[in-house]
Amino acid sequence: MTGTSDWLTAFPLQSATEAVDALMESWATLAANQKPGFHPKLHEPVLTKALKTHAELVTGRRRGLLGHWSAENVILEMDLETAEVQEERRTDIVYSFNTTTQSVALVFEFKKMSRFKADRDHYLGNKGLGRFVTGIYARGEAIAAMVAMLTDPKHDVLTPLCDELSNAARSATLRLRPSSTGGAFEAPSTMFPAAEFDTEHDRDAHLAPTHGTIRVAHFFLEFGYSVSSQRSARSPKKKAARAVPLAN
């Protein structure tokens, strides 16, 4: 991607990769077979809390990670003149760590993903990827992660999602910078081997790091067993038929 080589060279990518690898290992363990506390019918916060806890207590400890894991962490936007809170959000999982020169908070935003358009719109919209563009997620951070928890085969989800990202209107809304080949995304990821691709986005100055953009790695995680696809809960529901009164 354009104009980012200097900051990426300085970014502590090894420490971030260690956290990503620990999270991926925890996912593989928890999703290998259906568990009462971890299966695709559970709500996203239930899954992400379990995943964070496993990464913190099991894989992170075994790998010697020294950073801090958090789940459902509250972040706020406040008017500093009036002290009024203007916006409140909760990040799914954050891994925070320090180096000798900087502090990093690697934010992971999770979405359940099927092959249906409603889920693609949610993933790419203001409550998904948009939170790293015009929203307040990962303020001042150079790197973040979008993670899709798949309820359909990866190919059925990934191909239409990439097509949607390449749509000119969607690219404009997400403030996408072109990849090294001129496309909407960089595949494979230049940051994390476990990611499918990266996107890079311009951000407003008060949200952006000094170089002005955030790069988001996109991960697509499958359960280790067959998952029945169901239409997204965000899809429009059919209206119930109105009862017709019987004639007297």
Side-chain angles (χ1 to χ4, degrees), residues 141-157:
E141 299 296 336
I143 285 177
M146 285 291 298
V147 186
M149 300 180 287
L150 301 181
T151 58
D152 274 319
K154 184 188 292 187
H155 179 270
D156 292 345
V157 176

Side-chain angles (χ1 to χ4, degrees), residues 33-79:
N33 49 67
Q34 186 162 312
K35 298 173 175 59
F38 201 89
H39 59 80
K41 292 185 179 180
L42 294 172
H43 293 303
E44 288 165 7
V46 177
L47 295 170
T48 55
K49 287 176 183 177
L51 182 59
K52 170 263 179 187
T53 302
H54 193 278
E56 180 181 30
L57 299 182
V58 182
T59 58
R61 285 185 179 179
R62 187 174 65 251
R63 289 169 174 261
L65 271 61
L66 301 177
H68 172 71
W69 295 94
S70 61
E72 293 292 307
N73 187 49
V74 176
I75 57 173
L76 304 168
E77 182 79 353
M78 187 176 79
D79 185 317

Side-chain angles (χ1 to χ4, degrees), residues 114-122 164 170 231 235:
S114 72
R115 66 183 184 274
F116 297 113
K117 185 179 186 301
D119 280 348
R120 289 195 296 277
D121 290 342
H122 193 60
E164 180 69 19
R170 182 73 77 175
R231 184 168 296 277
S235 300

Side-chain angles (χ1 to χ4, degrees), residues 196-211:
E196 294 291 333
F197 60 83
D198 304 332
T199 53
E200 188 171 358
H201 312 259
D202 288 309
R203 297 195 88 178
D204 292 338
H206 72 288
L207 295 170
T210 54
H211 60 274

